[in-house]
Amino acid sequence: MDGSTALASEYFQSYSVIGLLALIGVLFVAVAFGAGRLLRPVVPTPEKLLTYECGVDPVGEGWAHTQVRYYVYAFLYVIFAVDSIFLFPWATVFAAPGYGATTLVEMFIFLGFLAVGLLYAWKKGVLAWA
């Protein structure tokens, strides 16, 4: 029973160090924000309350229309960029002895899914830049 108690004590002691560091970090941030609030000058004027846009006074509404297709292009880019990241670990495992055929089949299945997704996007007209 002594060995397990010592092991549990050592286990929780390592977590107490992490908790103490987290507490110090939270206190540091709180003190920094509190000091900033106490030391800053507060002199509100109408000019200071305006929205600042590159030195130009704001005119009109803050609403702007954005084409949804740009988000679709960005989304497709992110999908294929993340998928291409999976090619590097695959190449590493493919080089290991005994995994060649299995990883080759898995990669063709993976690339097949990507091709089906790209074909679907192309058939829906998502890739047409107009």
Side-chain angles (χ1 to χ4, degrees), residues 18-45:
I18 292 171
L20 182 64
L21 286 175
L23 181 66
I24 289 171
V26 168
L27 286 175
F28 180 76
V29 170
V31 167
F33 276 112
R37 179 168 281 213
L38 290 174
L39 297 175
R40 71 177 177 213
V42 181
V43 185
T45 61

Side-chain angles (χ1 to χ4, degrees), residues 65-79:
H65 295 284
T66 305
Q67 295 289 333
V68 175
R69 68 175 172 233
Y70 299 127
Y71 293 112
V72 173
Y73 287 120
F75 185 65
L76 286 172
Y77 170 76
V78 168
I79 287 172

Side-chain angles (χ1 to χ4, degrees), residues 35-57:
R37 179 168 281 213
L38 290 174
L39 297 175
R40 71 177 177 213
V42 181
V43 185
T45 61
E47 291 83 17
K48 286 185 179 179
L49 298 176
L50 282 177
T51 304
Y52 182 74
E53 294 183 24
C54 301
V56 179
D57 290 334

Side-chain angles (χ1 to χ4, degrees), residues 1-127:
M1 200 67 168
D2 264 344
S4 64
T5 306
L7 186 62
S9 174
E10 182 180 323
Y11 178 76
F12 287 119
Q13 183 180 5
S14 63
Y15 274 111
S16 66
V17 171
I18 292 171
L20 182 64
L21 286 175
L23 181 66
I24 289 171
V26 168
L27 286 175
F28 180 76
V29 170
V31 167
F33 276 112
R37 179 168 281 213
L38 290 174
L39 297 175
R40 71 177 177 213
V42 181
V43 185
T45 61
E47 291 83 17
K48 286 185 179 179
L49 298 176
L50 282 177
T51 304
Y52 182 74
E53 294 183 24
C54 301
V56 179
D57 290 334
V59 178
E61 296 181 17
W63 184 260
H65 295 284
T66 305
Q67 295 289 333
V68 175
R69 68 175 172 233
Y70 299 127
Y71 293 112
V72 173
Y73 287 120
F75 185 65
L76 286 172
Y77 170 76
V78 168
I79 287 172
F80 285 103
V82 169
D83 290 339
S84 67
I85 290 172
F86 288 120
L87 293 173
F88 294 110
W90 170 78
T92 305
V93 171
F94 185 68
Y99 291 104
T102 305
T103 56
L104 186 64
V105 170
E106 288 174 353
M107 186 48 64
F108 276 120
I109 292 171
F110 177 71
L111 291 175
F113 280 124
L114 288 181
V116 167
L118 187 60
L119 181 66
Y120 176 77
W122 179 64
K123 288 285 188 181
K124 285 290 191 177
V126 172
L127 302 177

